[in-house]
Amino acid sequence: MKKYFSIGEMSKLHNISIETLRHYDRVGILKPEYINEKTGYRYYSTQSFITIDLIKKCKAIGLSLEEIKEIKNDYTSLDSILNIIKNQKHIIDKKIVELNNIKKSIQNLESSISEALDVGINKFFIKYNKERKLKKYTYTRRYTEEFEIQLRKSLREIEKEYNCSDVKIAFETSYDGIVKQNELIYTKAMLELDYNVLINEEDIVTLKEGNYLTFYFDDNFYDNKKYYYNVIEYIKNNNIDVIGEFYEIYEMTRVSSNGEVKSLAKIEILLK
């Protein structure tokens, strides 16, 4: 005599919740052998064990319930099954690339925050940087609505063209402007992209290799001018020879629930 198992017994035997078994019934991938008309109880046979094994195997490789249903409906065609598996492999390969990019973004941010905390916020240190290539951003009138709108358009284009959303915003500011004119003059706006992104040569700004006097601050970016004065004072007091312009690079900007903005950023300038 054939043995039947209640939905509760099936749940315990296969470590699947009762609600999941009911859902499998609703979507048509695991029907009970019969349902008691009086009680509404579902009963399964050992044949259902094989179906559950198939479902678990398919879920282990990430197939959806619809794909599992397709395999069940066309179970005699190995070609059909192979096509589904190949498609799933392609999807997983794309996800691996996405996850690796996410991991790299996390590592970069972790490294920046750790460095800032290790050396100290509002502390000076010398950092050696390899040559860096940043994408030129043509609109430089900072602190305007137009700047923010144009910046978002550029970030959107980068995300579409390069599939890259890990972008740092950077600025070149005039050394003479702050020293001689007491004015913070932005001469270039730039976007620092992932190192693997290829950029057209005409769109590149190159930051030279070398030792940079570096200074982290964590504040509202509207208040950044005072930090340039700190850097200038430190350069004068320590008779430091510098080359070129300042670079202001933003590692992370965040906003509180009440709208207060803070940015972790660094100011750096190349040493002679």
Side-chain angles (χ1 to χ4, degrees), residues 145-156:
E145 286 187 359
E146 183 65 18
F147 176 87
E148 293 296 337
I149 292 168
Q150 293 300 326
L151 176 61
R152 293 308 170 277
K153 288 180 179 178
S154 291
L155 293 174
R156 182 187 64 200

Side-chain angles (χ1 to χ4, degrees), residues 29 54 58-59 61-74 80-81 83-89 91:
I29 64 170
L54 172 65
C58 292
K59 288 189 72 177
I61 61 174
L63 296 184
S64 68
L65 294 184
E66 278 301 312
E67 288 167 325
I68 296 171
K69 192 174 182 179
E70 187 178 338
I71 287 175
K72 280 198 67 187
N73 291 340
D74 198 14
S80 174
I81 295 170
N83 286 336
I84 290 172
I85 292 172
K86 283 184 175 179
N87 181 62
Q88 182 64 14
K89 181 174 177 289
I91 291 170

Side-chain angles (χ1 to χ4, degrees), residues 11 49 52 57 72 74 84 108 121 135 138 163 166 188 194 205 207 265:
S11 173
F49 294 4
I52 289 177
K57 170 71 78 174
K72 280 198 67 187
D74 198 14
I84 290 172
N108 289 341
I121 305 297
K135 182 175 174 59
T138 55
N163 192 28
D166 182 22
K188 287 189 184 76
D194 183 274
V205 177
L207 275 57

